[in-house]
Amino acid sequence: MGKYIRKRLVQLIPILLGVSFITFALMYLAPSDPAEMKLSAQGTAVSQEILDETREEMGLNKPFLEQYLSWLLNLLTGDMGVSYIDNVPVSQKIVTAMPSTIILAVSSMLLTLLIAIPLGILAAIRQNQWVDYSIRFFTFVGTSIPNFFLALVLIYVFAMQLNWLPVLATGSIRGLILPTIALSTVMISKYIRQIRAAVLEELNKDYVMGARSRGIQENVILYKNVLRNSMITVVTLIGLSIGSLLGGAAVVETIFVWRGLGKMVVDAIGARDYPVIQGFVVWMAIIYVVVNLLTDLSYHLLDPRVKEGWET
């Protein structure tokens, strides 16, 4: 297992280098002049002399590769540059926004798992019954509603009409409820469909038929064999979701003014704050590769056949 982890970590290096190069190249090719944007954001009158001095100070007169290598070396030491808008280090902005994103991601994931796992299993063991049809109808509706539309409906009903919850996320538990529901609804629907399919596939396998023929109780088969084997599907879904959630749910965070990574990058895109956008993309790449690695490692605990594949 240690050999496999080392091999995967080595494979991550070219991926992260490729992401960093493409990100820097796209920002380099952007039509706006970073020096002019920085001076404008600071409220400094832009003259040609000041503009030339600022370009030299920012290293914009150097060749592309020299600029990239300088940026990369700074990145390796944790220096992601400084925001053009508020002159705050990008790494500090990410660290400041991260706790809010983690809180929203954890609450959304917990709500998703608490609802999706039992309903997915129930739909599978009650296949083609009214319970199954009702759950499948819910999943169809849930996957059809865009996040931004659901968020606006929730605000209108629960905040403006019923006045039960705040319109904007205030950092309190009450302010967390609506963003969590808006973010979880689509995930719950997708999870239910995947879990239902995974449990049905297991229920139709030969070992389940054999266990039934030997008189083993249905509950024992379900909890000791079927659910354990179906958990790989759940782990895969969690891995995919965690990556996007920790990167910030941009639309939901913006609608509810939730000050996480999603809102931070939307604001940066609107202001063409390139250092923040670059830092966010690199952060997203790191999150995705780390979560994918942890997901692969978790397969080892759930399915011994995966371990055999690593050792061959």
Side-chain angles (χ1 to χ4, degrees):
M1 185 172 178
K3 181 180 177 182
Y4 175 80
I5 294 174
R6 287 193 295 273
K7 182 180 176 183
R8 287 294 307 270
L9 289 175
V10 171
Q11 291 174 344
L12 296 182
I13 295 174
I15 295 174
L16 293 174
L17 284 175
V19 170
S20 68
F21 182 82
I22 293 172
T23 303
F24 187 85
L26 290 175
M27 296 299 107
Y28 179 83
L29 295 173
S32 304
D33 184 347
E36 187 174 350
M37 291 168 53
K38 183 178 181 179
L39 291 172
S40 300
Q42 293 173 350
T44 305
V46 180
S47 65
Q48 189 60 45
E49 184 179 356
I50 296 176
L51 202 56
D52 291 340
E53 290 177 0
T54 306
R55 282 176 179 155
E56 187 173 355
E57 180 185 330
M58 295 173 67
L60 299 177
N61 295 329
K62 297 177 181 175
F64 168 75
L65 281 179
E66 191 173 344
Q67 289 187 45
Y68 169 67
L69 289 176
S70 175
W71 176 76
L72 184 62
L73 289 175
N74 289 333
L75 185 67
L76 292 175
T77 62
D79 181 3
M80 294 182 170
V82 178
S83 167
Y84 293 158
I85 305 304
D86 50 19
N87 209 31
V88 173
V90 175
S91 55
Q92 183 179 331
K93 289 176 75 73
I94 290 177
V95 170
T96 302
M98 180 55 63
S100 297
T101 293
I102 290 176
I103 290 172
L104 184 57
V106 170
S107 63
S108 301
M109 184 53 65
L110 286 176
L111 181 64
T112 298
L113 294 178
L114 285 173
I115 296 177
I117 291 178
L119 289 185
I121 296 170
L122 184 61
I125 61 179
R126 294 287 186 268
Q127 184 184 18
N128 296 330
Q129 298 180 18
W130 70 268
V131 174
D132 182 29
Y133 290 133
S134 301
I135 294 174
R136 288 163 63 185
F137 176 76
F138 167 77
T139 61
F140 174 76
V141 174
T143 52
S144 303
I145 302 177
N147 278 338
F148 74 90
F149 180 74
L150 178 61
L152 295 176
V153 170
L154 291 172
I155 289 174
Y156 177 76
V157 174
F158 294 100
M160 299 179 66
Q161 296 299 315
L162 299 176
N163 201 27
W164 288 353
L165 296 167
V167 175
L168 303 178
T170 57
S172 63
I173 297 296
R174 294 178 72 240
L176 181 63
I177 294 174
L178 292 184
T180 299
I181 295 174
L183 206 54
S184 302
T185 301
V186 174
M187 285 201 304
I188 290 171
S189 302
K190 290 179 179 176
Y191 274 47
I192 288 175
R193 296 171 73 168
Q194 294 292 328
I195 293 170
R196 176 184 181 274
V199 173
L200 277 177
E201 183 180 353
E202 290 297 322
L203 287 174
N204 290 322
K205 287 186 175 177
D206 292 340
Y207 77 89
V208 174
M209 305 296 180
R212 285 171 176 163
S213 65
R214 293 196 299 274
I216 299 176
Q217 292 183 351
E218 197 70 21
N219 289 340
V220 176
I221 298 172
L222 180 65
Y223 292 108
K224 284 195 172 180
N225 301 106
V226 173
L227 293 186
R228 180 183 175 85
N229 294 335
S230 303
M231 281 303 104
I232 287 183
T233 299
V234 178
V235 170
T236 303
L237 290 169
I238 292 174
L240 294 172
S241 301
I242 286 291
S244 58
L245 288 173
L246 288 182
V251 175
V252 172
E253 287 189 3
T254 302
I255 290 176
F256 289 98
V257 197
W258 186 265
R259 300 192 178 282
L261 289 174
K263 186 176 186 310
M264 181 197 75
V265 75
V266 168
D267 292 343
I269 292 171
R272 291 183 291 181
D273 196 351
Y274 293 153
V276 177
I277 300 172
Q278 285 175 327
F280 175 79
V281 173
V282 172
W283 166 253
M284 283 289 295
I286 294 172
I287 285 292
Y288 266 102
V289 296
V290 170
V291 169
N292 282 336
L293 176 60
L294 294 177
T295 303
D296 288 347
L297 295 178
S298 65
Y299 292 161
H300 165 75
L301 301 174
L302 296 171
D303 191 346
R305 293 171 296 181
V306 177
K307 180 181 178 182
E308 294 174 1
W310 292 355
E311 294 174 346
T312 56

